[in-house]
Amino acid sequence: MMEIKILGSGCKNCTTLTKVVEEVLGELNMEATVEKVTDFQDILGYGVMKTPGLVVNGTVKFAGRIPSKDEVKKVLEG
């Protein structure tokens, strides 16, 4: 199963990114585990300096901005 992590402190942008990811998963009828990572040391461990960040199966796909739904779809469809 796909593993998705949202990196961030829980700010508005992080919440927005979570909603975008959940909407795309629903539209694609995909299942994935979605985890919020809020610990700063864990976020730094991914090399992300600006949040929000999106990690899919251990790879950072976006950082420092909210990607569009189309961008997220492309990443999740692989």
Side-chain angles (χ1 to χ4, degrees):
M1 180 177 290
M2 185 179 296
E3 288 186 356
I4 298 172
K5 295 185 181 189
I6 309 293
L7 310 180
S9 62
C11 64
K12 183 180 178 189
N13 287 344
C14 302
T15 302
T16 301
L17 178 55
T18 302
K19 287 179 184 175
V20 169
V21 168
E22 289 172 349
E23 286 176 15
V24 170
L25 285 170
E27 289 175 13
L28 296 176
N29 199 25
M30 294 177 85
E31 288 190 24
T33 58
V34 180
E35 178 185 348
K36 294 179 185 177
V37 178
T38 57
D39 183 87
F40 192 64
Q41 292 300 321
D42 291 340
I43 294 169
L44 285 177
Y46 285 99
V48 171
M49 300 301 283
K50 291 183 75 178
T51 60
L54 177 65
V55 177
V56 179
N57 292 332
T59 303
V60 177
K61 298 296 184 178
F62 299 100
R65 68 183 181 92
I66 301 169
S68 69
K69 283 177 72 172
D70 284 341
E71 289 176 305
V72 174
K73 274 185 186 177
K74 286 178 186 173
V75 166
L76 298 186
E77 288 178 321

